[in-house]
Amino acid sequence: ISSKYANKWEINPDYIKKNFPRDAYTENSDGTINLRLTIFFRPQSIFIIGLFSGGAVIAIGIGILFFLRLKKRRETQ
């Protein structure tokens, strides 16, 4: 597996055949292979985790403020 340019990837079928189980690809009659790849962009995953954790912190903060306001309102009555 090598990269010669940012958006061009060449995958050596012999490498796949030697290093991956037979059920990971299908071999065609002409020697080529069909291979399904899923590519993950790690910074995107980190961004999504940050988005959810930030949203949770904001929701907790709003909940605490609401609780304190409700508590203060009950004390003044």
Side-chain angles (χ1 to χ4, degrees), residues 36-52:
R36 181 174 291 211
L37 298 175
T38 303
I39 300 173
F40 292 97
F41 185 57
R42 186 168 176 89
Q44 182 69 32
S45 301
I46 294 169
F47 171 77
I48 291 171
I49 291 169
L51 192 65
F52 281 118

Side-chain angles (χ1 to χ4, degrees), residues 20-48:
F20 289 87
R22 183 80 171 106
D23 62 344
Y25 63 91
T26 55
E27 189 170 357
N28 301 318
S29 59
D30 62 353
T32 60
I33 61 171
N34 296 330
L35 180 67
R36 181 174 291 211
L37 298 175
T38 303
I39 300 173
F40 292 97
F41 185 57
R42 186 168 176 89
Q44 182 69 32
S45 301
I46 294 169
F47 171 77
I48 291 171

